[in-house]
């Protein structure tokens, strides 16, 4: 790795901090936006229902379940981003662009999720899976680029750096598998997001014990 002056390192370090702050704010806004898709109770019509607001929520239970999945998957993407940024100490223009591109793809995922909350069209489930897969792979590319450029924490061993990559492959791998599940049914697709990560975790633990 070529020698880099301390001034450049400080600039790259500050860029990374700003990037992390921006990512957190962006995801916070996305989570706030989810609230807008909860059943509206402003007309107070729910007061005439047997169990009040609870009845209103039960009446829209399917949409709320989809919303729960969407919130969960968005949280997973936020966690994945920080999982790949945490071991990094610097960022340059290329790395920043990759991280922001990853966020843009997540926004497209939300577009598919919000536009078709009842999963009427198969294109929306496939679109969501593809976006989350692409987002994950972009994140992995960003980590590999940062590692190659020497931006990773110098205290990390090569094995630890390999483990960062390995642990971050679960999310895009699950997304790729759910593309196939989307062609079966929306229910199978939804349940797949909950079950497949657990299966992968169990398999990895068994392999790790060997």
């Amino acid at each position: 790795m070529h020698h880099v002056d301390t001034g450049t390192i400080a600039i790259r370090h500050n860029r990374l901090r700003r990037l992390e702050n921006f990512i957190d704010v962006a995801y916070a806004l996305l989570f706030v936006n989810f609230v807008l898709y909860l059943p509206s109770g402003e007309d107070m019509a729910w007061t005439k229902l047997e169990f009040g607001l609870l009845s209103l929520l039960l009446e829209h239970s399917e949409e709320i379940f989809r919303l729960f999945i969407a919130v969960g998957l968005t949280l997973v993407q936020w966690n994945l981003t920080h999982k790949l940024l945490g071991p990094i100490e610097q960022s340059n223009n290329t790395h920043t662009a990759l991280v922001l591109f990853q966020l843009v793809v997540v926004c497209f995922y939300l577009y598919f999720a919000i536009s078709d909350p009842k999963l009427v069209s198969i294109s929306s489930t496939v679109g969501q899976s593809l976006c989350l897969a692409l987002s994950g792979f972009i994140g992995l590319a960003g980590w590999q680029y940062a590692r190659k450029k020497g931006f990773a924490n110098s205290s990390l061993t090569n094995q630890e750096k390999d483990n960062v990559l390995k642990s971050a492959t679960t999310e895009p791998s699950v997304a790729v598998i759910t593309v196939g599940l989307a062609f079966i049914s929306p229910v199978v697709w939804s349940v797949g997001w909950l079950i497949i990560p657990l299966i992968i975790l169990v398999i990895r633990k068994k392999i790790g014990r060997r």
Side-chain angles (χ1 to χ4, degrees):
M1 183 177 64
H2 298 294
H3 174 72
V4 181
D5 62 81
T6 55
T8 301
I9 293 176
I11 292 174
R12 291 175 176 175
H13 178 78
N14 290 333
R15 175 190 288 272
L16 178 61
R17 298 286 81 79
R18 293 196 301 270
L19 177 62
E20 290 176 326
N21 291 335
F22 177 82
I23 292 296
D24 286 340
V25 171
Y27 272 99
L29 292 174
L30 292 178
F31 285 125
V32 170
N33 191 54
F34 281 124
V35 177
L36 301 177
Y37 292 89
L38 289 172
S40 176
E42 293 181 357
D43 58 5
M44 301 299 289
W46 55 269
T47 58
K48 299 178 181 179
L49 300 176
E50 183 177 2
F51 299 107
L53 283 173
L54 181 59
S55 294
L56 181 63
L57 294 176
L58 291 174
E59 184 180 341
H60 297 82
S61 58
E62 183 178 352
E63 292 90 333
I64 292 176
F65 174 70
R66 307 298 183 194
L67 183 63
F68 174 79
I69 295 293
V71 171
L73 293 179
T74 304
L75 181 60
V76 166
Q77 292 301 307
W78 173 80
N79 183 65
L80 174 62
T81 300
H82 280 286
K83 184 190 297 184
L84 295 171
L85 289 179
I88 296 175
E89 296 182 324
Q90 305 175 49
S91 181
N92 61 6
N93 290 337
T94 301
H95 177 258
T96 298
L98 286 170
V99 175
L100 294 179
F101 185 32
Q102 182 183 3
L103 176 62
V104 169
V105 176
V106 172
C107 290
F108 275 103
Y109 152 72
L110 291 175
Y111 170 77
F112 282 107
I114 291 173
S115 298
D116 186 13
K118 294 185 178 181
L119 303 181
V120 175
S121 173
I122 191 174
S123 63
S124 63
T125 49
V126 172
Q128 289 179 60
S129 292
L130 289 178
C131 285
L132 292 177
L134 179 58
S135 173
F137 289 129
I138 293 172
L140 294 176
W143 160 251
Q144 288 293 77
Y145 174 82
R147 179 178 179 178
K148 181 179 179 181
K149 297 293 290 186
F151 295 164
N153 192 310
S154 58
S155 66
L156 295 176
T157 64
N158 286 331
Q159 181 62 50
E160 289 173 329
K161 293 175 183 178
D162 290 339
N163 288 338
V164 171
L165 179 66
K166 181 179 179 180
S167 65
T169 58
T170 300
E171 291 83 351
S173 298
V174 172
V176 170
I177 295 174
T178 58
V179 172
L181 299 182
F183 290 93
I184 300 176
S185 75
V187 174
V188 173
W189 178 85
S190 299
V191 174
W193 285 108
L194 303 174
I195 301 301
I196 296 175
L198 297 178
I199 296 175
I200 293 178
L201 181 61
V202 171
I203 293 175
R204 284 184 173 176
K205 283 186 175 181
K206 288 185 177 180
I207 294 177
R209 292 173 182 170
R210 295 178 181 177

